[in-house]
Amino acid sequence: MIRMNLNYIKLRDKLLFMYILSVFIPIVVTNVVFYQVTTANIRSQKTRDAGVALNNLKNELRVTIDQGVGLSYSLYADPVFNDTLSRSFANHSEYIRAYNSYLIGEFSGQLSQGIRWYQVYTDNPTILSSGYIEHLTEDVRKSSWYKQLQHKMVPYPTLIATDQTLSLVQRLNNQDTGGIEQLLKIDFNMDLLKEQFRNSGFDGKVYLVDPGGHIRFSNYPKSEEPPNGKLYGDIEFPNQTIRFDRVYEGINYLEGWSLQGVMDEEIVLQEVRKSRSFVIWLACINVVLPTMIIAAISRSIHVRLVRILKHMKKVKTQNFQTIPPEDARDEIGQLTTEFNRMTETIRNLIDEVYLADIQKKDLELKQQQAQLHALHSQINPHFLFNTLESVRMRSLIKGERETAKIVHHMAKMFRKSISWNQQDVTVKEELELIDSFLQIQKYRFGEKLQYFIEADPSVLVYRIPKMVILPFVENASIHGIESTAGVGIIRLSVRTDGSELHIRLEDNGIGMSTARLDELMQYLEQNMDIGEHVGMKNAYSRLKLCYGDRFSFSIQTEVEKGTHVQIRLPLDDKHHEG
């Protein structure tokens, strides 16, 4: 289990960590919780208000429809009225007398605020179309409301919607009519219904839906086309909506009818959204002000501690520079004063006691190194050559030809590396040295390593700085091929390209990451030490000394896919083997 040790964290990070846990997170969480609770409360309140408004609209709509139902039942239950409509009159005069004496009185004063018009239809041929009584003609039977009525054979009134009109239709068959069809059609005051929908207080869309699921009336404004006649289920609403369902139950003439309310949640939370900017500004103030205070205090501590640490590191390199004094009485100021005193004391001690002794020991060490170097220089390199040759001959005698071959290549490489008395060699000599090296590497890796060296015959006589290709081949075999799991392949090609000598080295090794490649190129260009690739650094530096800006060098690599190295050298007469 990993345990966090606060002693490993920098002071500046500790202050930042303390600020985040103690100030930033509590403020953010508090504001988020406050906003969420406020949003939930307002949403709940708006939902309750919308439900109450929809219930009130449902009751008002029923009261209006009940006005028509009352009129319908009064005429349905009147035996004299029904008998008069179904009676066969001998002539028009007889019907007129009956109309004036009874029928016209039945209709007087029957209209109310919710009823715009009502009409009685009969197919009795002996009556005249007059006032509220009309013949039930074929055109009437072809109308939409009449066709809808035929699907409902019920004794109570039927609520029917057609073309922006809501009607109540009642069959007047309370008694035997002798085959005469008599209907009462009551049209409701649509202006009143629109006003009821508009003044309902429901902040959204309201739909009056019939038992078949079709929208028969809605509160759409005049600027929008109402969806009357469409299925309510086919209407597409935004994702964030609140739905309300108010169904008429237990009322035979309203059975299956319902009020559907749809309210956009964005509209519901519009008031909260308006206050969101205020909450954000308040949170910003609560965050920015403590941030500025903590940043000022943190800087007062961090900057001065870093300055002390910087001067401490200078002491390690024997630079006993004191810290400029400052007007500070806190612990850091006292630490600065004591550090200056300590620095002065150490410098005096070194000057007085240790410096002379160090100089004496340094002189003795240099003398010992000079003697050792003289002894090394006295060793004859031919002794090593003769020893390697003895090992090779002994291997041949024992039949160990492969070992003898490798020893021969080692002796050949060593002899050439120290016996070249010139700074440049021919391409042929460089490639022979590389071949010997790769033979040794193949002895080491076995079948895991395969290499191919290709060179145009015309380029073999050109002279190049010695050992400028070998370090890159060595890097490809040791760092690239050694760590790969499969067969490692190294390809080296040397050819002319116009006025340039083109050297291309490819391997299918482990490659390098982009960060590692940038670090390597920076190491080659600048004087910095990363602990490896010394041979590459040496070869690159000698190329810059010999050619200046006239040569080009590039490395292309990808992790697990290999590395390509390209070197382009200029060709001129002085680099040609005469």
Side-chain angles (χ1 to χ4, degrees), residues 151-168:
H151 296 291
K152 294 187 177 181
M153 305 300 295
V154 292
Y156 48 81
T158 301
L159 189 62
I160 296 174
T162 58
D163 299 333
Q164 296 290 331
T165 301
L166 197 63
S167 303
L168 197 67

Side-chain angles (χ1 to χ4, degrees), residues 76-302:
Y76 177 78
D78 190 339
V80 178
F81 175 75
N82 287 273
D83 180 67
T84 303
L85 283 180
S86 59
R87 190 174 63 184
S88 179
F89 295 97
N91 51 53
H92 295 331
S93 299
E94 184 180 355
Y95 169 74
I96 293 173
R97 284 196 297 273
Y99 179 81
N100 292 331
S101 62
Y102 181 75
L103 294 180
I104 193 172
E106 274 301 309
F107 290 104
S108 60
Q110 294 291 333
L111 288 177
S112 62
Q113 184 180 7
I115 299 175
R116 182 182 64 84
W117 185 261
Y118 59 92
Q119 192 80 46
V120 176
Y121 293 94
T122 178
D123 57 0
N124 187 347
T126 63
I127 67 173
L128 299 176
S129 296
S130 56
Y132 295 98
I133 301 176
E134 290 287 342
H135 282 289
L136 187 59
T137 62
E138 290 299 322
D139 291 338
V140 175
R141 286 190 170 92
K142 293 179 181 179
S143 62
S144 175
W145 67 266
Y146 185 84
K147 291 179 179 179
Q148 293 183 49
L149 179 66
Q150 302 312 306
H151 296 291
K152 294 187 177 181
M153 305 300 295
V154 292
Y156 48 81
T158 301
L159 189 62
I160 296 174
T162 58
D163 299 333
Q164 296 290 331
T165 301
L166 197 63
S167 303
L168 197 67
V169 182
Q170 171 73 59
R171 289 185 176 87
L172 301 178
N173 54 1
N174 190 28
Q175 63 182 21
D176 184 17
T177 61
I180 300 297
E181 184 178 4
Q182 300 172 166
L183 302 174
L184 171 64
K185 180 174 179 287
I186 302 173
D187 294 336
F188 291 101
N189 187 349
M190 301 307 295
D191 292 335
L192 176 63
L193 293 181
K194 290 179 181 178
E195 184 178 355
Q196 290 176 348
F197 271 67
R198 186 168 53 250
N199 298 332
S200 64
F202 185 85
D203 197 2
K205 302 291 186 182
V206 182
Y207 304 90
L208 179 62
V209 181
D210 66 11
H214 293 84
I215 298 174
R216 295 304 179 184
F217 191 74
S218 61
N219 63 342
Y220 273 55
K222 294 181 180 180
S223 58
E224 299 183 30
E225 181 181 357
N228 297 350
K230 297 182 180 179
L231 285 172
Y232 176 75
D234 294 340
I235 303 296
E236 294 184 1
F237 299 106
N239 294 330
Q240 301 296 329
T241 56
I242 304 175
R243 308 288 185 89
F244 299 86
D245 184 13
R246 298 294 184 269
V247 181
Y248 289 97
E249 297 177 349
I251 308 172
N252 51 16
Y253 52 86
L254 287 175
E255 188 69 30
W257 286 79
S258 64
L259 281 176
Q260 302 291 337
V262 179
M263 190 163 52
D264 191 349
E265 191 168 350
E266 285 297 324
I267 297 178
V268 174
L269 302 178
Q270 188 173 6
E271 295 180 3
V272 182
R273 300 287 189 265
K274 291 179 180 178
S275 63
R276 179 168 55 184
S277 59
F278 172 75
V279 174
I280 293 175
W281 278 108
L282 184 61
C284 290
I285 293 175
N286 292 334
V287 170
V288 171
L289 186 59
T291 300
M292 295 175 63
I293 296 175
I294 292 179
I297 297 175
S298 173
R299 187 179 184 280
S300 173
I301 299 174
H302 176 73

Side-chain angles (χ1 to χ4, degrees), residues 484-527:
T484 187
V487 177
I489 300 175
I490 297 177
R491 297 180 183 273
L492 175 63
S493 65
V494 183
R495 58 183 177 84
T496 57
D497 185 5
S499 60
E500 292 181 331
L501 183 66
H502 185 195
I503 304 170
R504 180 179 180 88
L505 175 64
E506 303 179 15
D507 68 77
N508 64 340
I510 60 173
M512 290 181 287
S513 64
T514 303
R516 180 58 178 163
L517 178 59
D518 293 341
E519 186 179 6
L520 175 60
M521 295 304 297
Q522 186 178 9
Y523 165 68
L524 294 179
E525 292 289 345
Q526 299 179 4
N527 186 18

Side-chain angles (χ1 to χ4, degrees), residues 384-440:
L384 181 59
F385 299 153
N386 295 334
T387 302
L388 291 175
E389 184 64 20
S390 299
V391 173
R392 186 177 76 87
M393 294 305 297
R394 184 63 177 172
S395 299
L396 288 174
I397 293 173
K398 288 185 175 183
E400 299 175 352
R401 296 185 176 276
E402 186 177 7
T403 303
K405 179 181 177 181
I406 296 304
V407 172
H408 173 70
H409 284 298
M410 290 178 60
K412 182 178 179 180
M413 285 188 62
F414 189 71
R415 183 184 298 274
K416 287 192 174 184
S417 64
I418 67 174
S419 63
W420 290 348
N421 54 7
Q422 295 181 350
Q423 294 297 324
D424 55 357
V425 295
T426 62
V427 174
K428 180 180 179 180
E429 292 173 327
E430 179 79 3
L431 295 182
E432 289 176 351
L433 184 63
I434 292 172
D435 182 70
S436 297
F437 171 78
L438 290 176
Q439 285 289 344
I440 296 173

Side-chain angles (χ1 to χ4, degrees), residues 547-569:
Y547 297 98
D549 297 332
R550 295 186 300 145
F551 85 102
S552 64
F553 175 83
S554 65
I555 299 179
Q556 297 178 352
T557 183
E558 190 173 355
V559 177
E560 301 299 338
K561 291 189 177 181
T563 304
H564 295 177
V565 178
Q566 294 190 70
I567 304 174
R568 291 180 178 269
L569 305 178

